[in-house]
């Protein structure tokens, strides 16, 4: 990440805005701030060539993973700790995976004060090395904490750290998938570009407020951007995002509202992994509410080769990566608690026009790798020298509300048949009021490219109370196939549209 550093004189009149636990010399400068000022700053920066700021000292970059964990922020010295502000901020030191620091500013009454690096804000073990601190040293990101459950106890719910990555949780959940400010060239053969949030501005919230404002400046070789985040912690945790990007070059493969997650295995591919757990994933499916009003469900996969899927649409209502497996025994992992990871739903604030939801699935052999990416890709190129505005709402939590009321897919199973030739697919639908008739009351529609399918059987699942659709196919010489299934009653769609890309 890049630190856009400015030097200002401290103004004593603004010292009253400082948290009591911070020394006045921590403030290295001031400047006026507003969203309009940020918009102009990003536009002016886009007119200049991209220039990354120097990295932090080499000994910080060369820390091992274990050494980097030996230094941590002391929350007792946090921003706004010991005040009546409803939000506390923690900071992260740069180094290791975060070689470029970011600038962090606190905003009150239209004035932004820049925080200088202070190693005294951190606790360290006695084995942490003695490292140099010069003018290039800084912070790598920030963490937000609020009183979520108990008065006086500030719990974390959101983190901004690394490139344009950030992640949040609903109250009581465990961190899982992440989001980004922008995706550029994801899955392209020439490689992906990762622009950075280089500067942050956090507005001092008024006592009693439950909404927190954070702003960020994006910068990278191809574009700059001005971002504003309106954040409310809870269940769900919601984030209203308003952004403008200013491309330095034509953006012909850009991803808006990008999401990043991990999917290693479940019942569709468990045979590839010698693991006592039945499943390992932060998310298990891509949910889309398209412009035609359909709910599409695409179970995630961990393919043997890179797979990119495009779900063409016009005026999408929403999309997101979901974690539908919510029982402890779905994973049998008492430490990772995958059943407690958040889903993330994106709702466009306006008509995003023509384009596609793009899903990128990358082969992975360990759960430490984020191998799933989903985003909205506009059909049209965003030209250099223009300003492109977009806005959306993020809902971090469980199942999103206000969707078409149809039966959801609860599980997908794929495996070999008794003859060791054919493959069997079983798709389970939830016990929904629309599906409580006799199975013969419903018609199922299944199709596939490059495959010949059996007619399929629809029956009641005695374990869940819902319906199960089972069918089979002979792979023959096929390498890949797009599968589709849905349930109707009297011609009316009563289930999600199940989609799946099968690969040999």
């Amino acid at each position: 990440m890049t630190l856009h550093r400015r030097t200002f004189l401290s103004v004593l009149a603004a010292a009253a805005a400082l948290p009591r636990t911070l020394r006045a010399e921590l403030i290295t400068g001031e400047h006026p701030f507003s969203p309009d000022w940020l918009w102009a700053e990003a536009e002016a920066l886009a007119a200049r060539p991209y220039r990354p700021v120097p990295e932090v000292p080499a000994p910080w970059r060369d820390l091992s993973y274990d050494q980097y964990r030996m230094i941590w922020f002391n929350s007792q010295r946090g921003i706004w700790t010991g005040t009546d502000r409803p939000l506390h901020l923690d900071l992260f030191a740069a180094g290791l995976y975060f070689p470029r620091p970011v600038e962090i500013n606190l905003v009150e009454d239209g004035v932004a004060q820049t925080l200088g690096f202070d190693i005294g804000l951190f606790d360290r073990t006695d084995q942490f090395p003695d490292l140099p601190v010069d003018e290039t040293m800084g912070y790598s990101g920030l963490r937000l904490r609020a009183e979520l459950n108990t008065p006086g106890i500030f719990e974390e719910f959101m983190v901004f750290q690394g490139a344009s990555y950030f992640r949040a949780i609903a109250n009581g959940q465990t961190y899982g998938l992440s989001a980004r400010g922008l995706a550029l060239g994801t899955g392209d053969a020439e490689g992906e570009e990762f622009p950075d949030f280089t500067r942050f501005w956090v507005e001092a919230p008024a006592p009693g407020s439950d909404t927190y404002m954070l702003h960020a400046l994006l910068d990278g070789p191809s574009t700059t951007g001005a971002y504003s985040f309106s954040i409310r912690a809870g269940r769900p945790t919601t984030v209203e995002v308003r952004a403008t990007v200013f491309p330095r070059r034509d953006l012909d493969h850009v991803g808006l509202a990008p999401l990043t997650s991990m999917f290693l295995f479940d019942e569709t591919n468990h045979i590839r992994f010698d693991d006592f757990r039945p499943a390992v994933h932060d998310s298990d499916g891509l949910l889309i509410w398209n412009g035609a009003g359909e709910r599409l469900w695409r179970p995630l996969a961990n393919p043997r080769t890179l797979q990119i899927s495009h779900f063409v649409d016009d005026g999408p209502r929403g999309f997101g990566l979901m974690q539908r497996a919510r029982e402890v025994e779905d994973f049998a992992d008492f430490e990772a608690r995958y059943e407690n990871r958040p889903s993330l739903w994106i709702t466009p604030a306006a008509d995003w026009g023509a384009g596609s939801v793009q899903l990128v699935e990358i082969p992975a052999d360990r759960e430490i790798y984020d191998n799933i990416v989903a985003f909205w890709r506009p059909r049209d190129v965003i030209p250099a020298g223009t300003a492109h505005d977009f806005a959306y709402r993020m809902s971090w939590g469980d199942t999103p509300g206000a969707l078409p009321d149809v039966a959801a897919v609860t599980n997908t199973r794929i495996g070999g048949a008794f003859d060791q030739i054919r493959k069997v697919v079983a798709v389970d639908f939830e016990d929904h009021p629309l599906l409580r008739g006799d199975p013969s009351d419903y018609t199922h529609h299944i199709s596939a490219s490059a495959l010949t399918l059996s007619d399929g059987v629809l029956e009641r699942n005695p374990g869940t109370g819902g319906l199960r659709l089972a069918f089979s196919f002979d792979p023959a010489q096929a390498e890949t196939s797009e599968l589709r299934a849905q349930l109707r009653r009297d011609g009316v769609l009563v289930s999600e549209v199940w989609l799946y890309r099968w690969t040999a």
Side-chain angles (χ1 to χ4, degrees):
M1 287 178 286
T2 304
L3 174 64
H4 188 74
R5 186 177 297 275
R6 292 185 174 188
T7 302
F8 298 91
L9 296 176
S10 295
V11 177
L12 295 179
L18 293 178
R20 292 197 299 250
T21 51
L22 292 182
R23 301 186 306 273
E25 57 266 30
L26 182 61
I27 301 302
T28 61
E30 289 192 345
H31 59 273
F33 179 83
S34 68
D36 288 343
W37 178 91
L38 176 58
W39 199 94
E41 185 82 352
E43 182 181 37
L45 184 61
R48 304 193 294 269
Y50 172 66
R51 294 183 60 186
V53 168
E55 298 175 336
V56 298
W60 287 90
R61 304 196 308 268
D62 295 340
L63 289 172
S64 68
Y65 176 74
D66 288 336
Q67 287 175 323
Y68 188 69
R69 295 178 63 189
M70 294 176 184
I71 182 171
W72 61 92
F73 191 79
N74 183 338
S75 295
Q76 298 302 314
R77 303 169 188 165
I79 310 299
W80 297 316
T81 298
T83 73
D84 57 359
R85 303 289 187 192
L87 181 70
H88 290 179
L89 300 185
D90 295 349
L91 306 173
F92 299 101
L96 188 58
Y97 305 128
F98 313 104
R100 300 184 189 279
V102 299
E103 180 182 292
I104 296 176
N105 300 271
L106 309 181
V107 180
E108 187 167 16
D109 297 330
V111 176
Q113 296 183 315
T114 306
L115 299 182
F117 182 75
D118 184 357
I119 199 169
L121 298 177
F122 296 86
D123 286 339
R124 293 159 283 173
T125 70
D126 55 7
Q127 296 181 340
F128 187 76
D130 185 18
L131 302 181
V133 176
D134 61 19
E135 69 279 358
T136 65
M137 189 56 194
Y139 306 107
S140 63
L142 54 88
R143 173 168 51 215
L144 309 183
R145 294 187 291 119
E147 296 175 292
L148 303 180
N149 297 292
T150 305
I153 303 299
F154 284 74
E155 302 173 62
E156 67 174 283
F157 64 92
M158 194 168 189
V159 168
F160 288 80
Q161 187 183 32
S164 67
Y165 282 90
F166 58 97
R167 56 181 181 165
I169 52 174
N171 191 10
Q173 290 188 325
T174 305
Y175 282 119
L177 81 168
S178 302
R180 280 187 278 169
L182 202 67
L184 295 174
T186 305
D188 286 355
E190 57 269 27
E192 183 173 1
E193 179 183 326
F194 291 88
D196 300 323
F197 283 146
T198 59
R199 304 170 70 186
F200 290 98
W201 293 263
V202 186
E203 295 188 22
S209 174
D210 63 357
T211 302
Y212 316 117
M213 292 300 303
L214 182 147
H215 311 270
L217 177 68
L218 183 85
D219 195 16
S222 297
T223 188
T224 69
Y227 285 72
S228 292
F229 303 89
S230 178
I231 304 163
R232 294 187 68 181
R235 197 171 186 109
T237 289
T238 60
V239 182
E240 304 282 350
V241 183
R242 303 194 67 84
T244 304
V245 292
F246 301 90
R248 289 188 172 99
R249 65 167 181 82
D250 292 348
L251 301 183
D252 56 357
H253 186 179
V254 59
L256 307 184
L259 318 178
T260 301
S261 192
M262 180 275 294
F263 180 92
L264 193 65
F265 65 85
D266 66 1
E267 291 168 305
T268 63
N269 65 331
H270 191 283
I271 193 172
R272 290 167 47 193
F273 296 88
D274 182 17
D275 198 300
F276 77 95
R277 299 167 295 181
V280 172
H281 50 73
D282 285 337
S283 307
D284 53 11
L286 170 66
L287 179 62
I288 301 172
W289 183 12
N290 65 18
E294 296 176 311
R295 272 176 58 170
L296 311 180
W297 176 253
R298 166 65 152 79
L300 299 179
N302 179 4
R304 297 183 185 274
T305 59
L306 175 69
Q307 299 291 319
I308 301 177
S309 303
H310 301 266
F311 304 91
V312 178
D313 201 0
D314 196 338
R317 315 281 184 88
F319 69 94
L321 292 175
M322 302 291 109
Q323 182 75 315
R324 284 185 169 172
R326 289 299 182 189
E327 301 299 326
V328 173
E329 281 303 295
D330 290 334
F331 303 94
D333 191 327
F334 305 151
E335 182 178 356
R337 297 294 309 277
Y338 287 113
E339 77 282 354
N340 202 37
R341 306 296 173 98
S343 298
L344 176 51
W345 181 250
I346 304 297
T347 303
D351 185 355
W352 279 4
S356 62
V357 175
Q358 186 164 307
L359 175 67
V360 180
E361 297 167 304
I362 305 168
D365 59 0
R366 299 176 66 187
E367 61 199 276
I368 61 173
Y369 300 124
D370 283 343
N371 63 322
I372 302 296
V373 185
F375 51 82
W376 173 256
R377 180 176 179 177
R379 182 188 64 187
D380 298 331
V381 173
I382 301 177
T386 64
H388 182 77
D389 301 320
F390 58 100
Y392 54 95
R393 184 181 192 188
M394 315 180 79
S395 179
W396 303 75
D398 301 308
T399 301
L403 297 177
D405 187 20
V406 295
V409 176
T410 59
N411 209 347
T412 299
R413 294 176 171 89
I414 300 177
F418 67 92
D419 60 10
Q420 303 300 309
I421 297 175
R422 299 184 65 80
K423 301 294 182 183
V424 175
V425 180
V427 182
D428 283 312
F429 297 90
E430 69 173 324
D431 181 14
H432 189 280
L434 290 175
L435 298 186
R436 288 177 184 162
D438 189 272
S440 62
D441 295 338
Y442 303 90
T443 57
H444 57 270
H445 301 264
I446 54 177
S447 61
S449 62
L451 293 174
T452 300
L453 307 178
S454 68
D455 291 336
V457 176
L458 188 64
E459 56 187 339
R460 185 69 57 189
N461 183 333
T464 66
L467 293 182
R468 170 177 289 182
L469 174 62
F471 59 93
S472 63
F473 63 89
D474 182 350
Q477 303 303 312
E479 293 295 325
T480 184
S481 177
E482 300 290 344
L483 305 173
R484 181 184 177 99
Q486 55 190 310
L487 305 182
R488 293 182 180 273
R489 183 171 186 173
D490 299 328
V492 178
L493 191 66
V494 293
S495 76
E496 292 179 330
V497 179
W498 174 85
L499 305 172
Y500 194 80
R501 173 176 290 181
W502 174 82
T503 57

